Amino acid sequence: MKPSVPVVRRGSALASQLGLSDRIFATAADRSLAKSIDAGLDLVEVGLLREVGFADAIADVTTRYLLNAGGKRVRPMLTLLTAHLGDGVTEDVITAAQAIEITHLASLYHDDVMDDADMRRGVPSAQAVWGNSVAILAGDLLFARASQLMAGLGEGAIRLQADTFERLVLGQLHETVGPNPEDDPVEHYINVLADKTGSLIAAAAQAGVIFSNAPRELERPIIEFGERIGVAFQLIDDVIDLSQQPEATGKVPGTDLHAGVVTLPLLRLREMALTDAGAADLLERLQQHVLGIPLPELDADPTVRAEAIARSAALVDELREHAVTTATLAEAHLWARNAVAALAPLPDGSVKKALTRFADTIVERSS
C-alpha cells in the first residue's frame, strides 16, 4: 500500500475571491454573505474529511488521496452561495454541498484513468500510484458515498444526483467515441462539455436553491447559469492544459492532448488547417509528437522522459501562442457573459453580484 499525500488545507477566505469582503467596495450585506460562505465551507470541509473515510484500509487511503491533495471547492462554494436566495446555509445545504463535491472528486479518479494522466492537483494521479483498477474502484466508492448523502435528503435529491451522474457518464462516453461523421465537431464538443462539466456545476447551483427553500422560479435561471459557466470553465481548462506553469496546474503541459483528448484549440486548428498552410504544418507536427502519444512513464529513463517533455513543450508552446487559442479564450468569455445574462430574473443584491463575480473569476483563472 502506498502512503497518502500530506493533507493540504483550503484557505478559509475563499469567498473573498468574489470581491464581497473588500471593505472599500463591498456593502455590509456583501461582507455578511462572504462570512457565511466561509463558515459554511469550513463545515463542508469537516464533513468531507468524515464522509470519504472508510473502515477498510485500502479504501480509506485511496478515497482520501485526492481530497488530501487540495482543491478549490468551487462547486460547494456555489451551492452555499445560491442558498442565500432562500433560507441560507442550512444543514441540508451543507449535506448537498458535500455530496456534490464528493461526486466531483469521484469523477476525477475516473477522468485520470480515461486520460491516462500522470498528475492531478500537483501529485501523482491515483491511477499512477495504484493502477487503473484501484483508481476506478476508489471513484466508484466515492460515487456511492455521494449517493448515500443525497438519499438522506429525499427523493428529489436522489433524482438530481442520478440525472447528473447520467449526464457525466454520457459526456465521457461521447467524448471517448467522438462525433458521428454527420456531426459538427465543435457542436459535439460543446455538448460534451455541457454534460461533463456544466451538468455538475449546474447541479451545485441548483442544490443551493432547492435545499434552502428558495423560490422555485429561480431554479431555471440558476441552472442555465451553471450550465453556461460550466462550459466556460472547461474552455478555460483547455487553455490551461497548454500552460507553461505545471507547478501551478499540477499537470504536464499538453496532458489532455497526449491522452488523445480533443480540446477546442485543436478543433479550431483542424478547421484552420483546411485553408492555412501554417496551421496545417503545426497540426502535422502535433500529430507526430503529441496527439494521442503518451509521454514516457514516471519511472522511465529520466533523460528519455526529459527529451520527450521538451519536444512536446515546444509544440504546445506554439499551439498556446496560436490564434486558435486566443479564439478559445474569446469563446470562454462569451459563455461567461451569457451565463451572467441568465441571472436577469434574480433579485438585485449580494447573491447576484457574487454570481457575476464568480463568472469573472472562472474566466480569469490560470490554474
Side-chain angles (χ1 to χ4, degrees):
M1 183 186 303
K2 304 289 181 68
S4 61
V5 298
V7 176
V8 178
R9 299 298 185 191
R10 174 194 53 77
S12 64
L14 186 57
S16 65
Q17 295 178 16
L18 302 179
L20 296 178
S21 55
D22 191 315
R23 293 188 177 275
I24 298 176
F25 300 106
T27 66
D30 294 340
R31 292 192 295 272
S32 176
L33 173 61
K35 184 177 180 180
S36 174
I37 292 173
D38 281 336
L41 283 169
D42 287 338
L43 294 175
V44 169
E45 197 72 14
V46 170
L48 289 173
L49 292 170
R50 179 183 66 250
E51 295 298 338
V52 302
F54 287 84
D56 180 88
I58 185 62
D60 190 63
V61 71
T62 53
T63 55
R64 289 181 183 275
Y65 181 71
L66 288 184
L67 177 68
N68 289 345
K72 298 179 178 65
R73 309 297 187 253
V74 168
R75 291 154 190 83
M77 181 173 66
L78 188 54
T79 302
L80 300 177
L81 177 54
T82 59
H84 287 82
L85 294 168
D87 297 336
V89 181
T90 66
E91 185 176 341
D92 284 355
V93 168
I94 293 293
T95 299
Q98 292 165 356
I100 293 291
E101 183 66 8
I102 292 172
T103 299
H104 170 59
L105 194 64
S107 73
L108 299 183
Y109 283 80
H110 287 188
D111 282 353
D112 286 344
V113 172
M114 298 293 295
D115 298 345
D116 196 25
D118 285 342
M119 302 291 290
R120 170 68 70 175
R121 294 180 171 177
V123 300
S125 63
Q127 61 95 12
V129 177
W130 289 284
N132 287 349
S133 295
V134 171
I136 291 170
L137 293 169
D140 290 345
L141 284 170
L142 290 169
F143 278 126
R145 188 56 55 87
S147 297
Q148 289 174 358
L149 286 171
M150 282 298 205
L153 298 177
E155 182 180 349
I158 296 172
R159 183 171 297 278
L160 175 62
Q161 175 76 0
D163 289 346
T164 304
F165 186 39
E166 178 179 300
R167 289 189 62 190
L168 290 173
V169 175
L170 284 173
Q172 185 65 67
L173 177 64
H174 293 154
E175 179 181 77
T176 302
V177 174
N180 294 320
E182 67 274 13
D183 293 338
D184 176 81
V186 171
E187 182 179 351
H188 175 272
Y189 181 64
I190 294 299
N191 288 335
V192 166
L193 300 190
D195 284 339
K196 279 193 64 177
T197 304
S199 64
L200 190 56
I201 291 181
Q206 185 182 3
V209 173
I210 293 173
F211 299 109
S212 70
N213 302 308
R216 295 305 295 265
E217 62 267 22
L218 299 182
E219 205 169 328
R220 175 46 51 188
I222 284 295
I223 292 172
E224 291 180 3
F225 171 83
E227 293 271 356
R228 294 171 186 177
I229 205 63
V231 174
F233 186 98
Q234 190 57 55
L235 291 177
I236 291 296
D237 259 10
D238 285 357
V239 177
I240 291 174
D241 183 59
L242 308 177
S243 171
Q244 291 177 303
Q245 301 174 314
E247 68 279 2
T249 65
K251 297 166 66 178
V252 174
T255 292
D256 288 345
L257 298 178
H258 278 289
V261 176
V262 174
T263 63
L264 191 60
L266 177 61
L267 289 174
R268 294 301 188 195
L269 186 68
R270 287 174 176 171
E271 288 179 341
M272 186 177 290
L274 297 175
T275 57
D276 183 281
D281 175 66
L282 175 57
L283 180 60
E284 182 179 357
R285 287 182 287 124
L286 285 167
Q287 289 172 335
Q288 289 177 348
H289 300 293
V290 179
L291 300 180
I293 301 174
L295 290 169
E297 300 292 334
L298 289 171
D299 58 356
D301 182 289
T303 301
V304 172
R305 181 173 168 82
E307 290 175 351
I309 289 176
R311 182 172 56 248
S312 167
L315 289 169
V316 170
D317 283 349
E318 282 193 60
L319 181 58
R320 185 182 61 253
E321 298 302 323
H322 199 277
V324 293
T325 301
T326 302
T328 297
L329 281 170
E331 193 154 349
H333 281 268
L334 177 60
W335 277 93
R337 289 196 299 272
N338 289 337
V340 172
L343 299 175
L346 269 63
D348 292 335
S350 297
V351 173
K352 191 173 185 178
K353 182 192 299 184
L355 288 170
T356 300
R357 178 56 187 153
F358 179 87
D360 293 339
T361 301
I362 289 299
V363 293
E364 290 167 0
R365 69 196 177 94
S366 60
S367 65

